[in-house]
Amino acid sequence: MIRTKGSLEASISKSLTQWEKDFLGRGSVSVKTDILRDMIIVTLKGVLTPAEYALCQKDEGRISIKKVRCELVESGRDALGELIQEIVGIEVITLHTDISTKTGERLMVFKLATDLEKTLT
């Protein structure tokens, strides 16, 4: 089977959307995945609920939302690593993530054991 960069990126986006729905109870509005060397960079838009946006109007709410959302993803870190490894066939070394309480956008960066981009057509 020929693996193209675009097909892998689409598969990762689709799988992460499903993971969000299954694990977090709802998915983001849009997901964009980019493979760059030994990294998979995922941008998820529309992550926050309207109630969370309202809480983010104050510093305490912003801190609380970032903490809770971080802990939610951290609790699913192993499953996320396995999901990515199953799709790309390379071990996930680490996951870095952050959420913007201003835009409701989450970035996820999966660092792989080897350069995935070099293996793609």
Side-chain angles (χ1 to χ4, degrees), residues 59-92:
D59 286 340
E60 300 91 26
R62 209 173 5 263
I63 292 166
S64 175
I65 294 300
K66 283 180 95 59
K67 182 178 180 193
V68 168
R69 285 299 189 130
C70 181
E71 288 176 6
L72 284 171
V73 171
E74 285 292 327
S75 68
R77 178 183 282 269
D78 291 340
L80 279 169
E82 291 169 10
L83 177 78
I84 297 298
Q85 184 171 341
E86 187 176 305
I87 294 169
V88 302
I90 298 174
E91 180 186 3
V92 175

Side-chain angles (χ1 to χ4, degrees), residues 28-44:
S28 51
V29 174
S30 70
V31 180
K32 172 78 171 101
T33 300
D34 294 292
I35 295 170
L36 178 65
R37 296 183 304 272
D38 62 344
M39 295 177 288
I40 298 171
I41 303 162
V42 184
T43 306
L44 304 104

Side-chain angles (χ1 to χ4, degrees), residues 5 18 22 31 34-35 48 50 70-71 82 84 89 97 108 112 119-120:
K5 186 175 176 181
Q18 190 60 52
D22 294 343
V31 180
D34 294 292
I35 295 170
L48 297 178
C70 181
E71 288 176 6
E82 291 169 10
I84 297 298
T97 185
M108 301 174 99
L112 305 175
T119 69
L120 302 175

Side-chain angles (χ1 to χ4, degrees), residues 45-58:
K45 294 185 179 181
V47 172
L48 297 178
T49 65
E52 288 171 321
Y53 276 118
L55 279 174
C56 289
Q57 299 304 310
K58 295 187 178 181

